């Protein structure tokens, strides 16, 4: 396959134009077609010379995603199944949240983490997405919103969360390039305040994120308050102990000046015990954190259950009484398997 031209960061795109001997205004024209206009055919770029379009088409692909299925939930959440050029599939979601839409994006085909509460890893990890495939998800969802605005949210700027398929920090080179394209004024021009990375906390990825300090939000998914407890639902402590992951996230929060989030999935009889909440308080006090509690969303191939509401509220009360800002996150789109932990590759590799 040819590389996707949207995988080039703005500096690489500028170098491509310069090395082609083209005047600088061609870079502006090309960038406008790629980003504000979101062109998917070379012939659409009518103000670029034919020989330039032909040369670009020889070296690059313009589109990497093909919509296979679009589902709309009772709560207005939208889920998209995209087929990639190699036949693999990924899912992306538009979530109406508060006064704005939120895009939930995938960063890998499948996932290697094998968390018990998540459907994505059922088939294992197939491959990383390249930057252009990540960026194109945003643009495809933007076009869907433009064609059919969410009632009451028309024209509102969307947020982006990397909480879809895959472990974002295991695909850091593509993530770094994607963040640059997303936030650059000559590309998508999104505010860093509107971008959130959710991770299970691999040490290597957290260290790379900390070194880059891109200023986007960070959510660390825990699953347990110590390594033994965590390993029962998230087989990652062997890579990074819980306290080390929390401390790296705390350092990131300090460097960026943004409060980080600790995410805790509540599973009945497993991760909903009040003594676990007390230990979670101690973890949250290791840095500038808030806590998101996520009651388990149902999966079709495991017998795990979400706790009753009173159990969830009791767990929250332990944290709030200790002075930890704690929120219960209700996931949308459960009726179409679009909620947190439910995304899964369907049809194909």
């Amino acid at each position: 396959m040819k590389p996707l031209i949207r995988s080039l960061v703005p500096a690489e795109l500028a170098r491509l134009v310069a090395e082609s001997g083209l005047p600088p205004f061609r870079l502006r024209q090309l960038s406008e077609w790629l980003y504000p206009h979101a062109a998917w055919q070379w012939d659409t770029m009518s103000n670029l010379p034919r020989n330039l379009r032909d040369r670009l088409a020889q070296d690059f692909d313009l589109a990497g995603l093909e919509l296979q299925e679009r589902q709309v939930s009772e709560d207005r959440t939208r889920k998209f199944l995209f087929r990639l050029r190699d036949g693999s599939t990924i899912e992306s979601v538009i979530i109406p949240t508060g006064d704005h839409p939120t895009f939930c994006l995938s960063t890998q085909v499948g996932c290697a983490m094998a968390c018990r509460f998540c459907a994505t890893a059922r088939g294992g990890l197939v491959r990383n997405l390249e930057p252009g495939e990540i960026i194109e998800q945003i643009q495809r969802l933007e076009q869907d919103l433009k064609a059919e605005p969410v009632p009451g949210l028309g024209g509102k700027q969307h947020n982006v969360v990397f909480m879809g398929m895959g472990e974002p920090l295991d695909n850091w080179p593509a993530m770094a390039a994607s963040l640059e394209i997303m936030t650059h004024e000559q590309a998508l021009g999104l505010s860093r305040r509107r971008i959130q990375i959710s991770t299970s906390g691999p040490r290597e990825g957290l260290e790379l994120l900390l070194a880059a300090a891109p200023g986007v939000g960070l959510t660390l998914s825990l699953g347990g308050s110590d390594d033994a407890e965590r390993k029962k639902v998230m087989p990652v402590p062997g890579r990074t102990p819980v306290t080390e992951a929390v401390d790296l996230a705390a350092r990131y929060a300090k460097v960026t000046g943004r409060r980080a989030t600790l995410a805790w999935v509540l599973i009945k009889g497993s991760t909903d015990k009040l003594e676990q909440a007390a230990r979670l308080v101690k973890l949250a006090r290791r840095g500038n954190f808030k806590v998101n509690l996520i009651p388990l969303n149902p999966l079709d191939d495991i017998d795990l259950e979400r706790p009753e509401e009173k159990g969830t509220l009791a767990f929250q009360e332990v944290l709030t009484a200790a002075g930890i800002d704690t929120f219960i996150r209700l996931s949308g789109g459960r009726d179409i398997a679009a909620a947190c932990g439910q995304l899964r590759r369907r049809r194909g590799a």
Side-chain angles (χ1 to χ4, degrees):
M1 293 183 295
K2 290 180 278 189
L4 289 166
I5 194 167
R6 285 180 175 85
S7 288
L8 300 180
V9 299
E12 292 172 328
L13 198 63
R15 187 160 55 249
L16 173 69
V17 171
E19 290 175 352
S20 299
L22 298 168
F25 75 88
R26 293 299 187 198
L27 172 62
R28 175 178 50 79
Q29 291 176 324
L30 178 58
S31 298
E32 287 175 351
W33 283 115
L34 292 177
Y35 298 110
H37 299 312
W40 304 117
Q41 291 84 34
W42 294 107
D43 286 345
T44 305
M45 303 179 183
S46 54
N47 60 353
L48 294 182
R50 165 62 67 179
N51 63 343
L52 173 58
R53 283 179 277 162
D54 290 344
R55 188 160 69 249
L56 290 171
Q58 287 179 359
D59 296 333
F60 297 97
D61 278 344
L62 192 54
L65 276 60
E66 180 184 351
L67 181 63
Q68 295 293 293
E69 185 177 32
R70 177 185 185 270
Q71 294 176 275
V72 181
S73 166
E74 294 176 355
D75 63 20
R76 303 183 301 178
T77 297
R78 305 175 189 178
K79 185 172 74 169
F80 304 81
L81 176 72
F82 293 111
R83 184 172 296 278
L84 309 179
R85 292 172 297 165
D86 63 358
S88 298
T89 55
I90 58 171
E91 292 182 325
S92 313
V93 183
I94 297 176
I95 310 165
T97 49
D99 62 352
H100 62 271
T102 293
F103 293 176
C104 182
L105 306 183
S106 294
T107 56
Q108 295 178 312
V109 180
C111 184
M113 292 298 99
C115 302
R116 291 191 65 204
F117 53 78
C118 182
T120 299
R122 294 298 185 264
L125 174 65
V126 177
R127 69 170 176 88
N128 289 328
L129 296 186
E130 61 177 282
E133 293 168 322
I134 295 172
I135 295 300
E136 190 171 336
Q137 290 176 73
I138 299 174
Q139 295 190 280
R140 297 288 187 179
L141 300 193
E142 285 178 338
Q143 289 183 324
D144 188 86
L145 269 186
K146 184 176 181 181
E148 187 180 327
V150 176
L153 300 182
K156 297 294 181 66
Q157 180 61 55
H158 59 78
N159 287 1
V160 170
V161 295
F162 289 98
M163 298 181 182
M165 297 169 56
E167 166 51 67
L169 297 187
D170 274 350
N171 188 17
W172 176 248
M175 278 298 304
S178 298
L179 292 174
E180 185 174 346
I181 296 166
M182 290 167 65
T183 57
H184 199 283
E185 61 182 4
Q186 292 182 358
L188 294 183
L190 294 177
S191 167
R192 289 172 171 79
R193 306 294 300 183
R194 291 188 171 275
I195 303 169
Q196 189 86 7
I197 295 175
S198 180
T199 177
S200 63
R203 176 193 297 112
E204 301 86 352
L206 283 172
E207 289 173 342
L208 289 167
L209 178 70
L210 182 60
V216 300
L218 176 65
T219 295
L220 176 63
S221 183
L222 288 179
S225 56
D226 58 43
D227 292 345
E229 189 177 277
R230 194 183 195 210
K231 198 168 185 177
K232 294 176 181 178
V233 293
M234 295 179 69
V236 294
R239 296 183 64 186
T240 315
V242 170
T243 53
E244 184 175 352
V246 170
D247 288 347
L248 283 167
R251 287 174 57 193
Y252 179 80
K254 185 174 182 179
V255 166
T256 60
R258 292 190 63 174
R259 183 165 63 164
T261 301
L262 299 178
W264 185 277
V265 176
L266 287 165
I267 304 170
K268 186 176 181 179
S270 176
T271 63
D272 62 345
K273 300 178 179 66
L274 299 188
E275 57 266 30
Q276 292 171 308
R279 291 194 292 270
L280 180 54
V281 167
K282 294 180 180 179
L283 289 175
R285 285 176 172 165
R286 296 177 79 97
N288 185 15
F289 291 111
K290 65 177 180 178
V291 172
N292 277 353
L293 302 178
I294 308 170
L296 177 76
N297 291 303
L299 303 177
D300 57 10
D301 57 354
I302 59 173
D303 56 3
L304 302 180
E305 298 179 29
R306 64 194 284 132
E308 296 178 0
E309 184 179 1
K310 63 180 182 180
T312 298
L313 294 175
F315 195 99
Q316 181 189 37
E317 176 59 25
V318 172
L319 288 129
T320 55
I324 307 298
D325 287 339
T326 305
F327 307 90
I328 299 171
R329 206 179 87 204
L330 301 177
S331 302
R334 280 190 286 165
D335 57 314
I336 58 170
C340 183
Q342 291 184 319
L343 296 191
R344 188 169 183 172
R345 293 182 295 120
R346 302 178 190 277
R347 299 188 191 80

